[in-house]
Amino acid sequence: MRGEKMKVNKVKNMDVIQVKDYAEMSKVASDIVLEKLEKIKQPVLGLATGSTPEGLYALMRKAHEEDGISFRDVTTFNLDEYIGLAEENEQSYHYFMNDKLLNHIDIPKHQTHIPDGLATDLEGACASYEKAIKAVGGIDLQLLGLGVNGHIGFNEPGTPVTSRTHIIELDDITRKVNARFFEHESDVPTQAVTMGIGTILEADHILFVVHGEKKADILREVINGEVTKDVPASALQLHPNVTVITDVSL
Ligand code: F6R
């Protein structure tokens, strides 16, 4: 499929690529990521966790293992991390990223960044995260999933559009939905560190992947509704270069 032209519908500011299923969504997303790596000498990728990008990460691993694609010159910044979980904790986003992608490609570990949910000075760590993104010249391609409550990163409803990397109190809905990764719902941390919406909107290009009927209503609201902090992802309407890849019919 790589190199083939996908049908793109313009909806407001967004390029929407309608795909038939999860596999195709992952493939189209992977083609866009790999194309960026080809075009940009020292690409900076913003990465997400969760179920949605797992297929994409599997294809990125495959590109490295089978096609010899190198990630040596790539720098990554993840969107978020739970507060209080160590890197070795299987539910931490550090663990997820190492397990699904970073341990399987040739990216130097010092070029990978994930917010530190164990920092003693969390506020200071948030400010340093912002500085580190600026220091490499900003994010070239930011991958985003969509929460059923409209969150991007862990920017829950009510988060200002200008927000920078910050500490957030997780929504009850988010904790319920993410409980599937933990033994008990009460084990889901109550707080996280997340890149802000303002931080996300500074990326050159946003790749927004949304899968499944359970996200249909919220995705329609994100794209067709008003920009409101009640639906954090609606802020993407303010960005000039968003590509949505989805199997949801809009
Ligand atoms: C994770 C993140 C979240 C997820 C969202 C969707 O780093 O930033 O915004 O993208 O909660 O999660 P899944 O893909 O599990 O449905």
Side-chain angles (χ1 to χ4, degrees):
M1 193 194 298
R2 192 141 177 237
E4 267 177 40
K5 277 268 165 272
M6 294 297 303
K7 191 171 175 307
V8 178
N9 289 319
K10 198 86 185 164
V11 185
K12 295 186 182 167
N13 61 320
M14 302 191 199
D15 285 340
V16 180
I17 303 177
Q18 200 94 48
V19 291
K20 63 175 186 304
D21 55 19
Y22 182 81
E24 195 185 2
M25 179 192 76
S26 305
K27 177 72 174 88
V28 173
S30 148
D31 287 351
I32 292 174
V33 172
L34 296 176
E35 206 174 290
K36 274 296 176 211
L37 300 195
E38 256 170 39
K39 280 201 180 134
I40 303 175
K41 249 184 157 178
Q42 293 184 312
V44 181
L45 300 181
L47 298 179
T49 58
S51 305
T52 315
E54 282 198 42
L56 162 63
Y57 293 156
L59 291 173
M60 287 167 71
R61 269 170 11 221
K62 187 160 172 263
H64 175 66
E65 285 158 6
E66 293 177 17
D67 307 328
I69 302 291
S70 177
F71 292 79
R72 216 179 309 121
D73 298 323
V74 176
T75 297
T76 62
F77 287 90
N78 263 80
L79 284 165
D80 41 19
E81 177 59 286
Y82 291 114
I83 290 181
L85 298 193
E87 187 166 339
E88 309 73 49
N89 186 312
E90 290 185 21
Q91 277 74 41
S92 75
Y93 285 173
H94 276 79
Y95 189 97
F96 176 99
M97 287 312 300
N98 288 334
D99 186 44
K100 304 290 179 199
L101 182 68
L102 303 173
N103 283 349
H104 308 279
I105 55 176
D106 61 342
I107 188 167
K109 269 289 155 69
H110 70 269
Q111 285 162 216
T112 68
H113 307 82
I114 303 175
D116 180 3
L118 286 184
T120 37
D121 172 14
L122 281 166
E123 303 272 0
C126 290
S128 305
Y129 206 68
E130 289 283 329
K131 274 197 194 130
I133 296 173
K134 285 222 164 68
V136 294
I139 292 172
D140 295 306
L141 182 67
Q142 176 65 57
L143 178 68
L144 291 181
L146 176 64
V148 286
N149 64 351
H151 75 204
I152 43 174
F154 270 143
N155 292 287
E156 303 287 29
T159 308
V161 80
T162 53
S163 54
R164 314 302 308 187
T165 302
H166 62 287
I167 300 164
I168 186 102
E169 209 68 39
L170 293 175
D171 248 25
D172 285 348
I173 300 172
T174 300
R175 294 187 65 243
K176 270 202 175 60
V177 171
N178 287 5
R180 69 190 191 280
F181 299 112
F182 293 78
E183 207 168 324
H184 305 287
E185 192 180 317
S186 57
D187 297 336
V188 184
T190 55
Q191 291 184 312
V193 173
T194 181
M195 260 187 218
I197 300 176
T199 322
I200 291 169
L201 291 181
E202 280 173 8
D204 275 355
H205 184 184
I206 291 176
L207 189 55
F208 190 34
V209 282
V210 184
H211 160 67
E213 266 313 296
K214 60 183 183 302
K215 305 270 178 81
D217 288 345
I218 190 70
L219 180 61
R220 290 185 198 117
E221 220 176 308
V222 165
I223 296 183
N224 301 319
E226 282 170 26
V227 177
T228 162
K229 61 183 178 169
D230 297 339
V231 182
S234 65
L236 298 177
Q237 291 184 29
L238 305 172
H239 192 281
N241 193 11
V242 179
T243 304
V244 185
I245 309 174
T246 187
D247 57 1
V248 169
S249 359
L250 292 167

